[in-house]
Amino acid sequence: MLDFINAHQQLFANFFGFSAIFVVMLMYQFKKHKTILWLMVLTSALWCCHFGVLGLLTPVAMNLVNTARSFVFSFRDKKWAQSWLIPAAFLAASLILVIVTWEGMWSILPCIGTSFATVANWQKDTKKLKILTIPVCISWFIYNTVSHSWAGMCNEILAFTSIMISLYRIHKAEKAEKSGIAE
């Protein structure tokens, strides 16, 4: 069985990666913060599988942090989940795990992406969340390029495109609202 998995490593990795991409394509089109975060839980779990099949430990660790972080942040409306110590703990976990799983200088990029995502997802305003996710896409795109994660590269292109479309829609709606008020 292990020989079969090894022989078809890219097939399995791409299955998990492209499944995650499907979720990402939809994720940023939602308005509710909690919905975006629950979809991020699913996406991060799928990326753990993708990078695990590829044998890349740092992105697996960062996606474990992402999974836990998105889950905890989805309860931000609860009193226990409102302390600034929560994002600080996830930032610390990211730094510790990148050291533990260090695979070379490129390992810093998933940590940067995860750190920006932590700050982005802590935002209550989904527009700020989307803007702060742009550096996440850039750092992960570079890492995926170096690591030959084709699904990861496609994901970041699509996520970036989705974010830009959503920000354009927000900008257009804000502009229309301002013109309606001025009349």
Side-chain angles (χ1 to χ4, degrees):
M1 181 70 168
L2 192 57
D3 289 337
F4 177 79
I5 293 171
N6 286 335
H8 298 90
Q9 178 185 29
Q10 282 297 323
L11 178 68
F12 285 109
N14 284 329
F15 170 77
F16 290 118
F18 285 105
S19 295
I21 287 171
F22 176 74
V23 177
V24 169
M25 286 174 50
L26 301 174
M27 184 168 60
Y28 289 108
Q29 300 311 312
F30 287 89
K31 291 181 182 179
K32 285 184 146 186
H33 192 247
K34 193 167 193 149
T35 303
I36 292 170
L37 290 172
W38 275 100
L39 290 170
M40 283 183 179
V41 169
L42 174 59
T43 301
S44 295
L46 289 166
W47 285 117
C48 280
C49 295
H50 169 78
F51 289 113
V53 170
L54 292 176
L56 299 169
L57 297 179
T58 301
V60 169
M62 294 302 107
N63 276 289
L64 287 173
V65 170
N66 294 346
T67 302
R69 181 199 62 226
S70 295
F71 176 77
V72 171
F73 282 12
S74 73
F75 294 100
R76 180 95 189 271
D77 57 338
K78 307 291 185 202
K79 187 174 182 170
W80 63 266
Q82 294 179 8
S83 171
W84 65 270
L85 293 174
I86 290 176
F90 285 113
L91 289 169
S94 298
L95 291 174
I96 291 166
L97 287 172
V98 78
I99 292 167
V100 170
T101 63
W102 189 260
E103 297 170 317
M105 68 178 221
W106 295 111
S107 292
I108 198 71
L109 290 170
C111 184
I112 290 169
T114 299
S115 298
F116 264 98
T118 297
V119 174
N121 294 335
W122 185 249
Q123 306 302 311
K124 290 183 178 180
D125 179 351
T126 57
K127 181 179 178 183
K128 287 180 185 176
L129 180 152
K130 293 168 186 178
I131 291 169
L132 287 168
T133 302
I134 293 170
V136 175
C137 295
I138 294 167
S139 60
W140 276 101
F141 180 81
I142 296 167
Y143 179 82
N144 288 323
T145 302
V146 170
S147 300
H148 306 289
S149 169
W150 310 118
M153 290 167 41
C154 290
N155 174 68
E156 299 313 325
I157 291 168
L158 291 170
F160 182 81
T161 302
S162 181
I163 291 167
M164 298 312 285
I165 290 168
S166 180
L167 290 173
Y168 174 75
R169 288 178 22 206
I170 290 168
H171 174 73
K172 193 174 173 182
E174 288 173 347
K175 190 175 177 180
E177 186 177 307
K178 284 181 184 176
S179 344
I181 294 172
E183 291 179 348

